[in-house]
Amino acid sequence: MTNRITHIEIDDTGLAAPTPAIEQERKVAVFDLLEDNSFKLEPRGDQVAPDGPYHMGLAIREKRLVVDVKTEAGDPAAEFHMSLGPFRQVVKDYFAICESYFDAVKKLPPSQIEAIDMARRGIHNEGARVLQERLEGKAEIDIDTARRLFTLICVLHWG
């Protein structure tokens, strides 16, 4: 399948070292993303989008999310610079609910843990929808790919 990401690189230069929990989230998200994703560049103007599979780089530069997409041969395919503003609140909410979830797992009954986990998934889905909206007209991604990429944005943003 050509409409997919086969390699992802996260440039965390200049960011604080991730905590073990954040590093684990990152590893799981990368693994899951590479196992199953759907990513297709959309044509820009009269330019045809290069076919995948793609290699993707994620970074934060000058307070902007930078998504660098290359072909498997290493040729530039697209580069998107997106404001982090639309992500800020949902990322903050996501980390707060994750903290509540991890605390709950240690001391609350399963029914309360499940309720917190449902809220966590809802916020995660909201972050994925924000990402899909930000990529509209640039790249088409499914909700599962958006969820995994949102996790990686969180790791970069708050890592």
Side-chain angles (χ1 to χ4, degrees), residues 66-77:
V66 178
V67 180
D68 182 29
V69 184
K70 295 184 179 351
T71 64
E72 279 202 317
D75 298 323

Side-chain angles (χ1 to χ4, degrees), residues 87 125-137 139-147:
F87 294 102
N125 286 339
E126 178 59 25
R129 280 191 292 278
V130 169
L131 180 58
Q132 284 179 310
E133 288 170 8
R134 303 295 295 154
L135 287 173
E136 197 169 300
E140 186 180 315
I141 59 175
D142 66 6
I143 190 68
D144 290 333
T145 302
R147 285 175 54 85

